Amino acid sequence: MEDLISKLEIDVLYYDFNQPGVEGKTIHGIYLRSQESEQRRHKIVVNANDDEKTQNFTLAHELFHHLLMEDQSSKLAQLLTNEEWLERAGDYFAACFLMNSEKFKKTYNFLRKQNSDAELIWKLSDAFITPYESVVRRLVELELLSEEDSHLLDLKEEDYAKMRTENLGPSVLDAPSQKSVFQPYVNIIVKRLENGDLTYMEAIKRLNRVNPKKAQEIQEKHQKKMDEWDDDED
């Protein structure tokens, strides 16, 4: 997914959303569509305080918004006129994208033999790097959750995390990631600069938005080369 977002040249930024959004809900991510006609630089802004699983799901959800906006004439775009439907469709896309039904069922069948219901959810969450609640909803969508386990739908993300900590100890995937850099995008910029597909100034401009440290590193290398050329000329 990260490679796909990078190839689409969507900037991904991590921001500390310490204030709730509409109706007091936590802001997990925002899709910002560029209005520039010549050089369009769309952006996905992700909550830096979220854990990696939630950030992963948010990226997929916001990718859905981008793809939908790219094809406004599609039947799906014309159907999703309601904000609630639009957000639910984004969640469903993210679930299908991250938890491919075939792979999900195979992993489920393998883990089912060895784990309790709660352990199964924790391990599926780790395997697909998706939130616990999203895993449970996916189990329902694929008709893998029995009626006697339907009570699991009432539990929240923090409930699963607390249960996991009490039984298995804390998980690094449940802690805020505090990411500030979208590394796959940075790698593509550097590679395009090396291949001559981007000018030095274009690369620095893009890197300054997502990874100022890398931009400074490239500037120092560039300056060193310039100094060496000056010495040769002398």
Side-chain angles (χ1 to χ4, degrees), residues 8 16 18-19 38 49 56 59 75 79 112 119 121 129-130 138 140 146 150 155 183 195 200 205 212 224 228:
L8 290 171
D16 182 0
N18 54 16
Q19 297 295 325
E38 293 184 4
N49 296 315
N56 205 33
L59 279 170
K75 290 182 179 179
L79 283 171
R112 184 67 188 168
E119 289 173 332
I121 291 168
I129 319 179
T130 50
R138 191 65 173 148
V140 173
S146 64
S150 60
L155 298 178
Q183 194 57 43
N195 293 341
Y200 164 75
K205 184 177 178 182
K224 186 178 179 181
E228 289 173 354

Side-chain angles (χ1 to χ4, degrees), residues 8 10 31 33-34 40 42 63-74 77:
L8 290 171
I10 301 171
Y31 172 63
R33 192 165 180 80
S34 172
R40 309 185 77 174
H42 308 307
L63 174 61
F64 168 80
H65 286 294
H66 169 76
L67 296 174
L68 197 67
M69 290 294 288
E70 288 290 286
D71 188 6
Q72 285 279 282
S73 62
S74 69

